[in-house]
Amino acid sequence: MAMSPLGADAGNEPELMMEINTTPLIDVMLVLLIMLIITIPIQLHAVKLDMPVGPPPPQLVPPQVMKIDIDANDAIFFDAEPVANLVEAERRLQAMAALPPEAQPELHLRPDRLSKYSTVAGVMAAVQRNGLTKFGIVGSEQFIE
């Protein structure tokens, strides 16, 4: 049978498909993906902690607590004793940081609801700058509405 110069004989032979059939490739990729998912070990999202066993040891000396209050007028008080400004509060915190760690007092910060954020943040930054770690904010239930 002779071929015409323009292409395949249109009468007897079907046209050739010039595209790749991607269906078997997709099937193979899905099987590989499922095999990969099955063979990967299950990741546990847990943190292992070695917790102490038994009751905690009794404290020989109760910790000393220093209350830092900030009132609505942004006045700072250390154990009900007024402090002139943030610089004076920084000096007192530096003196506490100079003590050995076991002698450092626990600091309980109690800001008033109407005190400025800058004053409270300044005291907290001063505590952090001086490396005091026994620190907590007390009375935060007043901020819940």
Side-chain angles (χ1 to χ4, degrees), residues 15 19 22-23 44 83 87 100 103 122 130 136:
E15 283 188 39
E19 299 167 356
T22 57
T23 304
L44 298 177
V83 177
V87 175
N130 290 301

Side-chain angles (χ1 to χ4, degrees), residues 37-87:
I37 290 172
I38 291 172
T39 59
I40 292 176
I42 296 173
Q43 297 293 323
L44 298 177
H45 298 286
V47 177
K48 289 193 163 231
L49 294 175
D50 294 327
M51 299 298 290
V53 179
Q59 288 186 343
L60 300 176
V61 178
Q64 178 188 2
V65 176
M66 170 74 68
K67 295 178 184 174
I68 303 173
D69 296 318
I70 301 175
D71 68 1
N73 298 324
D74 296 323
I76 302 170
F77 298 90
F78 277 68
D79 279 338
E81 182 183 329
V83 177
N85 53 21
L86 206 52
V87 175

